[in-house]
Amino acid sequence: AQTVTQSQPEMSVQEAETVTLSCTYDTSESDYYLFWYKQPPSRQMILVIRQEAYKQQNATENRFSVNFQKAAKSFSLKISDSQLGDAAMYFCAYRSVRGGSEKLVFGKGTKLTVNP
Amino acid sequence: GAVVSQHPSWVICKSGTSVKIECRSLDFQATTMFWYRQFPKQSLMLMATSNEGSKATYEQGVEKDKFLINHASLTLSTLTVTSAHPEDSSFYICSADTGTSGYEQYFGPGTRLTVT
């Protein structure tokens, strides 16, 4: 079974600075999707960024980018120019692509605090 | 696009009663819906996967007779907590799968259940 590990329960960053959240995963599959979800205090899950395993190029969405190291099974999230609104729980998630609608496997999350 | 709603957003019920939570995909057809439970400061725990017109698949350790899931149409899934007890108090989140869109799941805003 696949597992996702987020080794940083909490992180903090100064406003306008850059922070990197770590995520590692374990799988025997070669094709899959990886996601970073944000959960603000409202508790609405928001997709931040998505990476397809067969794509070597790292995904980027505005201030958010990932460092995807397939061989190392690592998928870190970099937030540049951090803003107060970035404060939230961040969850890394894995999803298999075999056979249709597979479930998401979540890490335990990293709580990000942004200091003004 | 791809909006998922949940109703109610919060509910308080007395111990021993049953409560139903609805999850609707508003602008797309969801062949698969997922139900999660989230305790404070913890990650999402998948309870079950439901496919339209068929029985739900429950995760190990989840009581099927207590958490009844019905996926009667491509836009509606319901979770009924039967004979609720205080330990069932939690935050319940549903998500829906379009079957396309890069394997993304779209999440509802969640329902906070308090059993007194």
Side-chain angles (χ1 to χ4, degrees):
Chain A
Q2 295 84 15
T3 59
V4 176
T5 302
Q6 293 178 248
S7 59
Q8 307 154 314
E10 296 187 18
M11 291 283 285
S12 63
V13 63
Q14 290 296 127
E15 195 175 4
E17 297 292 310
T18 296
V19 65
T20 298
L21 308 184
S22 300
C23 173
T24 58
Y25 59 96
D26 189 27
T27 183
S28 59
E29 299 175 336
S30 59
D31 197 15
Y32 46 86
Y33 280 84
L34 295 165
F35 303 87
W36 277 98
Y37 280 93
K38 168 185 177 180
Q39 189 180 41
S42 69
R43 301 189 80 171
Q44 171 73 60
M45 295 288 284
I46 301 167
L47 177 67
V48 175
I49 201 164
R50 169 179 56 229
Q51 175 77 44
E52 298 161 88
Y54 66 87
K55 290 187 176 179
Q56 293 185 340
Q57 186 174 9
N58 290 323
T60 299
E61 288 288 343
N62 300 314
R63 298 183 295 107
F64 299 88
S65 61
V66 297
N67 183 1
F68 173 49
Q69 301 290 329
K70 190 172 184 179
K73 296 179 182 176
S74 172
F75 182 61
S76 61
L77 174 70
K78 185 171 81 171
I79 305 174
S80 303
D81 186 26
S82 297
Q83 300 176 359
L84 295 177
D86 295 333
M89 283 291 292
Y90 286 81
F91 293 100
C92 178
Y94 171 103
R95 192 176 196 191
S96 173
V97 300
R98 56 182 166 83
S101 294
E102 298 292 331
K103 63 184 180 183
L104 281 168
V105 178
F106 284 97
K108 291 187 175 182
T110 297
K111 181 181 180 181
L112 177 65
T113 300
V114 181
N115 301 309
Chain B
V3 177
V4 175
S5 70
Q6 276 185 247
H7 178 80
S9 57
W10 61 273
V11 58
I12 301 173
C13 71
K14 292 186 176 181
S15 186
T17 62
S18 296
V19 60
K20 181 184 287 186
I21 302 170
E22 292 185 348
C23 177
R24 294 182 183 273
S25 57
L26 298 185
D27 50 4
F28 66 97
Q29 293 184 330
T31 54
T32 305
M33 288 184 170
F34 304 83
W35 286 95
Y36 298 85
R37 186 173 181 177
Q38 186 179 33
F39 291 105
K41 300 183 179 181
Q42 293 189 22
S43 187
L44 281 70
M45 181 188 77
L46 181 66
M47 299 174 66
T49 301
S50 74
N51 291 291
E52 185 264 340
S54 61
K55 290 184 178 180
T57 301
Y58 290 82
E59 294 297 302
Q60 190 173 9
V62 177
E63 298 177 62
K64 301 178 182 181
D65 294 333
K66 180 165 194 61
F67 299 101
L68 300 180
I69 291 172
N70 183 280
H71 193 161
S73 76
L74 286 172
T75 58
L76 173 64
S77 177
T78 59
L79 167 67
T80 301
V81 183
T82 63
S83 187
H85 289 94
E87 56 265 31
D88 299 324
S89 299
S90 191
F91 193 69
Y92 293 89
I93 304 173
C94 72
S95 70
D97 188 343
T98 65
T100 57
S101 301
Y103 285 83
E104 179 181 348
Q105 288 184 22
Y106 298 92
F107 286 83
T111 296
R112 181 178 303 281
L113 170 64
T114 301
V115 185
T116 61

